[in-house]
Amino acid sequence: MVIAAAVGVPAGTVGAPPATQAPLAASALGPVVATGRGLASALVVDFDSPMDAASVADALRVDPAAEVRLGWSEDGQRLSVEPVGRWRPATLYTVTVGTAAHDRDGRALAAPLRAGFLTRAATTATLEVVDRLPSGVALDSSIAISFDRPVPIQGVLRAFLISPAVEGEILVATDGPDDSDPALADFFVWQPSDLLASSTRFTASLADGLLDADGSPVEIAGPLSF
């Protein structure tokens, strides 16, 4: 014989399912804005539960508008927001994920997620005569070409111009700061193959279209006249 035990429930008591906590993104904690971000660097957001990728993509906005590529870790908790191409230099971006985003259990974000970052400034280039004299420059003077961050060596070799035309060569004076890529450098010296013509005004410059290591246009201070 089976006896069923009945458990009394006090009058007025209503059963309720356990409360569930909304998913949280670590980037939502505090008004921290990263500065100096590389133009090809991804923004990484960590969530505390596996997210529904489609809902996050629909709820994500970038301001100013930029085309981005989203990537996820295998566990669905780390989101990578990467530019298609590159971010604009010296620009403050805000990435917002609205509350329509939810995790794989259907729990929506409790509040919009906003993460901001400021991209680095554009790479700049300067040209300067090495051997200046009170009356002009030495006839065998070189020209220093410097950048505030590494640029492709071949790009500089193609971009250097001098008028009137003079035979010469460009030497790589120093490698990039970390010496990790032999194709990059940040300081060059142009040397004439023979003495420069006396009493002649020369103009040296870098052609438009020179790109840095991130593929972003280099800002050139202007032509050097001597």
Side-chain angles (χ1 to χ4, degrees), residues 168-181:
E169 63 176 339
I170 295 179
L171 306 177
V172 179
T174 62
D175 296 331
D178 59 4
D179 297 339
S180 61
D181 191 337

Side-chain angles (χ1 to χ4, degrees), residues 34-79:
T35 61
R37 182 176 293 276
L39 304 186
S41 298
L43 171 70
V44 175
V45 180
D46 288 310
F47 295 89
D48 66 353
S49 63
M51 298 298 292
D52 178 81
S55 72
V56 173
D58 289 342
L60 187 140
R61 299 292 181 270
V62 180
D63 184 36
E67 187 178 359
V68 295
R69 180 185 302 110
L70 305 183
W72 288 92
S73 60
E74 289 187 5
D75 63 5
Q77 293 186 224
R78 170 164 288 189
L79 168 65

Side-chain angles (χ1 to χ4, degrees), residues 14 43 48 50 56-57 77 85-86 98 103 131 138 144 149 183 202 205 210:
V14 178
L43 171 70
D48 66 353
V56 173
Q77 293 186 224
R86 67 193 68 85
D103 66 11
D131 299 310
R149 58 177 49 83
F202 291 91
S205 62
L210 178 61

Side-chain angles (χ1 to χ4, degrees), residues 131-138:
D131 299 310
R132 284 195 177 275
L133 302 173
S135 59
V137 303

Side-chain angles (χ1 to χ4, degrees), residues 97-221:
V97 181
T99 54
H102 57 81
D103 66 11
R104 293 176 183 174
D105 292 330
R107 298 177 300 166
L109 287 176
L113 156 69
R114 291 184 179 88
F117 60 91
L118 179 66
T119 55
R120 67 161 175 81
T123 301
T124 59
T126 57
L127 289 80
E128 186 59 54
V129 172
V130 174
D131 299 310
R132 284 195 177 275
L133 302 173
S135 59
V137 303
L139 299 182
D140 62 349
S141 181
S142 303
I143 297 174
I145 310 165
S146 59
F147 301 85
D148 61 354
R149 58 177 49 83
V151 297
I153 294 172
Q154 291 302 316
V156 176
L157 299 182
R158 291 190 297 267
F160 181 79
L161 303 169
I162 186 166
S163 177
V166 179
E167 289 293 327
E169 63 176 339
I170 295 179
L171 306 177
V172 179
T174 62
D175 296 331
D178 59 4
D179 297 339
S180 61
D181 191 337
L184 303 177
D186 56 13
F187 191 76
F188 304 77
V189 175
W190 175 83
Q191 294 182 338
S193 299
D194 204 346
L195 295 179
L196 298 171
S198 62
S199 301
T200 302
R201 178 161 295 279
F202 291 91
T203 301
S205 62
L206 295 170
D208 293 338
L210 178 61
L211 305 178
D212 64 18
D214 286 334
S216 184
V218 173
E219 289 188 358
I220 302 168

